[in-house]
Amino acid sequence: MVQAGRELGLPWPIVQRCLEDYAAKVLSEDLPATSAIGIDETRRGKPVWKQNPSTGKWELVADAWHIGFVDAIGGRGLFGQVEGRNAESVADRLTSRPASWREQVRYVAIDLHATFRAAVHRALPHAAVVVDCFPVVQLAQRHLADLRRRLTWKQHGRRARKGDSIYTVRKLLRRNKEDLTEDQRTLLKVELDHMGTYGRQIFAARKAKELLRARSA
């Protein structure tokens, strides 16, 4: 769309208006039924503020965040998008759909966002909330890093330094199991064993993270 505007020498507002007019003609107002939807936020540019002449306060007129609703199982892509990133925006969008459409939605995939979960429970109380695997694995990775730092302080009373076993393998802990060579796996096991109890705890936490990642794949 951007390239078409450049080639025809048209300003952006005209290109956008033409796209909206065309979309209104070819897209059906009724969303196709699906048993699973996905909800996620997307940042679009910068927020736009305008000063209220009556109160003198600055008010948000265009939010940088938009929430997208997609078909998570039928491959029909984007169902819709709303401005804002709050429970009201999500709930209003879902409740605006016909009851027959909402009743067929059995699962809703989200990230670890309490706002989305609250909105789904309000608008689709019968649907099960499913957490996207990526944020779950990301959270496990973060907890592993927190454990590594905490046990390093317990053992050394400071951050890891060059020459410490944990410093040697700190980057290997972040990598996926299948991306490590045999020598790297051996190095990881030897260095963590050298740390004693703390190293074995870190190794067990890494193993748990890899098991979680395998189940989420």
Side-chain angles (χ1 to χ4, degrees), residues 4-207:
R6 289 172 180 167
E7 292 176 355
L8 297 173
L10 297 175
W12 174 256
I14 294 179
V15 175
Q16 178 66 23
R17 196 176 307 122
C18 291
L19 175 65
E20 292 174 355
D21 291 343
Y22 178 75
K25 295 177 182 178
V26 301
L27 296 178
S28 171
E29 293 185 1
D30 296 328
L31 294 180
T34 182
S35 60
I37 62 174
I39 303 175
D40 201 2
E41 73 269 21
T42 303
R43 187 177 178 87
R44 300 185 62 188
K46 298 180 180 179
V48 178
W49 298 83
K50 184 177 181 180
Q51 191 173 24
N52 189 315
S54 301
T55 64
K57 295 182 178 180
W58 288 89
E59 300 175 348
L60 182 66
V61 296
D63 201 313
W65 291 96
H66 285 231
I67 300 171
F69 301 79
V70 300
D71 180 9
I73 197 171
R76 282 166 292 214
L78 184 68
F79 276 165
Q81 189 168 295
V82 295
E83 186 177 334
R85 188 173 57 163
N86 52 60
E88 289 72 23
S89 298
V90 176
D92 290 347
R93 173 66 182 182
L94 293 175
T95 54
S96 68
R97 298 296 92 200
S100 58
W101 185 89
R102 298 198 309 269
E103 289 171 358
Q104 295 186 62
V105 178
R106 309 307 303 172
Y107 304 96
V108 181
I110 63 172
D111 57 17
L112 297 174
H113 203 304
T115 299
F116 291 169
R117 185 171 66 251
V120 171
H121 286 325
R122 186 192 314 171
L124 303 172
H126 61 282
V129 175
V130 181
V131 178
D132 217 10
C133 62
F134 175 78
V136 173
V137 175
Q138 188 180 46
L139 183 62
Q141 193 78 271
R142 191 179 307 136
H143 280 298
L144 175 60
D146 290 342
L147 177 67
R148 173 181 58 80
R149 285 189 288 266
R150 186 169 66 252
L151 295 183
T152 298
W153 272 98
K154 279 189 175 183
Q155 185 172 47
H156 299 289
R158 55 170 172 75
R159 295 178 62 180
R161 297 175 183 170
K162 189 174 182 179
D164 296 337
S165 293
I166 193 62
Y167 186 90
T168 304
V169 299
R170 70 194 190 287
K171 293 183 179 180
L172 297 180
L173 287 169
R174 294 198 295 265
R175 297 178 62 181
N176 297 333
K177 180 180 178 181
E178 63 272 16
D179 295 332
L180 297 177
T181 65
E182 191 61 38
D183 288 343
Q184 288 172 330
R185 294 193 191 99
T186 301
L187 176 64
L188 184 63
K189 185 69 168 61
V190 169
E191 293 294 341
L192 291 179
D193 280 343
H194 184 69
M195 286 181 64
T197 301
Y198 294 148
R200 287 189 288 273
Q201 290 178 21
I202 294 173
F203 188 81
R206 177 187 173 276
K207 185 177 180 179

